Amino acid sequence: MIWRAFVIIVAIPAAVVAAGCLVWLIFISPVLLLAGHLGWMRRDLAIDFAVAPAEFLALCAALEVLARLFVTWFDDELRTGGWVSYWWREWWARLRK
């Protein structure tokens, strides 16, 4: 249940940012690339601004993969009583002494 709330809190702003990046890529990037091609702005600067949302989305996807791996590992540890449970019991045993 906690993970669902976490996903909702993180997923909704992430969806809004992703939508903004997609709008940028669909509507603004072609204009920037055309402006760079026609000489209205420097070509390297136009390319940098045109592909920035794609690079940002790739970075977000990589971070999502790492977050999913961590959440899956942590969820498995809590469910099976593995490493996390062992250190939890060890910590409580030391506190009781």
Side-chain angles (χ1 to χ4, degrees):
M1 189 57 96
I2 293 173
W3 297 120
R4 288 182 187 165
F6 177 74
V7 167
I8 289 172
I9 291 170
V10 173
I12 292 173
V16 170
V17 170
C21 287
L22 290 175
V23 167
W24 181 278
L25 288 170
I26 292 170
F27 295 112
I28 298 173
S29 289
V31 173
L32 286 170
L33 294 173
L34 183 64
H37 180 70
L38 295 176
W40 295 340
M41 68 185 297
R42 287 189 4 224
R43 184 171 288 178
D44 60 337
L45 190 63
I47 292 172
D48 287 344
F49 282 125
V51 299
E55 293 170 350
F56 179 73
L57 289 174
L59 176 68
C60 289
L63 291 175
E64 178 193 6
V65 167
L66 292 176
R68 283 181 182 255
L69 285 173
F70 176 74
V71 166
T72 302
W73 170 80
F74 192 67
D75 195 34
D76 288 344
E77 290 294 328
L78 289 176
R79 189 171 0 98
T80 60
W83 186 81
V84 173
S85 300
Y86 168 77
W87 288 108
W88 183 257
R89 286 189 306 270
E90 188 72 26
W91 183 66
W92 272 108
R94 289 184 184 190
L95 281 177
R96 296 176 115 178
K97 289 182 180 180

